[in-house]
Amino acid sequence: MRRPQLDAAIARARDNDISWFIVHKVNRFARNAAEGLRIAEELRDNGTDLISVAESWDNTPAGKLMKTLYFGLAEMYSAELSEEVTTKMAEKARRGGTPGVCPPGYLNVRKTIDGIGNVARVEPDPDRAEHIVWAFQTFARGHHTVNQLREELTDRGFTMRKTRRYAERPISKSALNRLLRNPYYIGIVTWGGTQYPGEHEPLIDTETYDKVQTVLDSNNTGGDKSWRYRHYLKGSLRCGYCHERIGFAHGRGNGGEYQYFYCLGRQKKNGCKQRYIPTWIAEAAVEAHYIAVQERIDKMLPEVRAAFEGVIATYGARAAVESDRLDRKKLRIEREQRKLLQLAYDDELPDTLVKQEIRRLNREASDIDRQIEAANINLGDLKRRFNDLCDLTANIKQKYAQAPDEARRQLNRFWFTSLDITEDEITNYTFQDLPDTVLDAAAPVALEASAKVFERQTEEQQWLSLVEELRNEEPDAHWAPGSNVSYLVAGAGFEPATFGL
């Protein structure tokens, strides 16, 4: 019904003596039966008959029935068309395509690929992709709110794409929040609540994306509305009486402006007796509580160090095997590329097939380069990072007292899940899982995950997997029969050798 030209035509029929309102077909006039029949009735009340060029009816009872049927068929046609489009878009998402318009940082383009013209593709936007990468990497450090990040993006010159409705404009806070939550940037397409691996090029690695989600969740902990009032203890405190969240507010009185914490449970009238807590009292209580943090560190640090050294040792052995495997795989791809080029020079393969295979091999080589880079992690650097992290835990109370507000906020989130406070002291607390927390901070997630997978394998499973890799990498090689190794057989297989073999 929200069509300006249709509204103008109906108004003209209403205000003038018009006999006929002519449409080509009913489904070009209205695709909702109730609305279409209501408009036709309004036109008839004004002395105007609705006429269809492709269909016919009259004002007899049978004619009115036919008109109702035509409008019903038009609605069914619209519903079937909508369902067909939805099905095709869902299928496109399952194949890794992008249904609809891609998010900021990408462009919908059409190209000629393998001689096929007008193929829809998604490519990084040369004007905006670098800003998206910068935004994720910057926000992952945990030093920015969404508003601060938005302001810096605007200063860098980042704008949203021009659309039919809007000109280029700075990104809004809500749009930036959706952008930071969008898994599309790590190569995932979401459709109908289901995620699929996308064909587009990821702009962000999974580790950075996960850090951004952690920071966003941390900022929202306990209803932490940083956009309104900001304090480094927001989201970390709970009421020591009723265990509800603690809010933060500004007040004004005869003494001027003051800040305080208050129990949200008491505000909801749950009977809590917690009084308002001035900010300086809450700050002093948390600072004094870092004596407990130091005791926790001194008790747990040997366990954390042993766990970290175990991960490093296990991953070092795994990395050596993985690096050798990837090197062999890369050599195989290089041999395939040389063979493919030779076949192309000899005109034994069609050009389209050659191009397709070259693209595939280039993709595989690129993936292997990334895996080799990940496998060749500098374990010495990781050990230095871990030792630096351990050094930071020495005399933590003094360092907390001297730290700026933002650093205090991060330390509280690092060590504690929550802190329960009464009027002037911390009465209860929940520590984070210290070994896991320190390991995650000192080493990449991939390092620990790879080590744990390798630890779960038995020695025989490790040997079998290595043999399988060797067989896959060198398909022409084999071990001679008669060996005590029974995993592979000679080229003839289990059957007697033929003359050709």
Side-chain angles (χ1 to χ4, degrees), residues 56-70:
S56 63
W57 60 76
D58 53 35
N59 289 325
T60 64
K64 292 179 180 179
L65 174 61
M66 288 301 300
K67 181 166 66 173
T68 303
L69 288 174
Y70 283 131

Side-chain angles (χ1 to χ4, degrees), residues 40 55 115 136 139 167 169 177 287 396 405 421 462 473:
E55 299 112 351
F136 272 90
F139 197 77
R169 63 204 182 281
N177 197 73
E287 185 177 328
I396 188 67
D405 288 353
I421 188 170
Q462 294 174 10
E473 301 305 327

Side-chain angles (χ1 to χ4, degrees), residues 340-440:
L340 191 63
L341 288 174
Q342 188 60 49
L343 290 172
Y345 292 146
D346 296 340
D347 292 333
E348 296 187 20
L349 287 177
D351 290 343
T352 54
L353 181 58
V354 170
K355 291 178 181 178
Q356 181 179 345
E357 286 299 301
I358 287 177
R359 281 197 300 272
R360 179 183 64 82
L361 292 174
N362 287 341
R363 283 197 303 269
E364 289 185 12
S366 178
D367 290 341
I368 289 174
D369 286 338
R370 285 195 293 269
Q371 293 176 45
I372 289 175
E373 183 180 355
N376 293 331
I377 293 175
N378 190 324
L379 299 183
D381 286 345
L382 289 176
K383 291 177 182 178
R384 282 191 293 273
R385 287 172 60 190
F386 178 75
N387 290 331
D388 290 343
L389 192 65
C390 292
D391 291 341
L392 288 174
T393 62
N395 200 6
I396 188 67
K397 181 178 181 296
Q398 180 182 351
K399 290 175 180 174
Y400 179 83
Q402 297 172 349
D405 288 353
E406 187 60 31
R408 288 186 176 193
R409 177 175 176 273
Q410 293 180 44
L411 283 170
N412 290 330
R413 298 292 176 84
F414 182 83
W415 292 114
F416 301 106
T417 302
S418 63
L419 292 161
D420 291 359
I421 188 170
T422 56
E423 283 83 0
D424 58 356
E425 64 177 343
I426 301 297
T427 57
N428 195 16
Y429 52 89
T430 305
F431 270 115
Q432 298 278 10
D433 189 341
L434 187 60
D436 287 347
T437 303
V438 175
L439 283 175
D440 287 346

Side-chain angles (χ1 to χ4, degrees), residues 16 53 89-90 223 231 235 279 282 483 496:
N16 298 276
V53 174
M89 294 181 77
H231 191 279
T279 54
S483 166

Side-chain angles (χ1 to χ4, degrees), residues 238-246 263 265-266 270-277 419-425 427-428:
R238 290 190 313 179
C239 176
Y241 295 107
C242 67
H243 307 295
E244 283 280 354
R245 300 194 309 270
I246 291 288
C263 174
R266 181 175 179 177
N270 67 351
C272 180
K273 60 181 181 179
Q274 180 79 270
R275 298 180 179 179
Y276 291 159
I277 307 172
L419 292 161
D420 291 359
I421 188 170
T422 56
E423 283 83 0
D424 58 356
E425 64 177 343
T427 57
N428 195 16

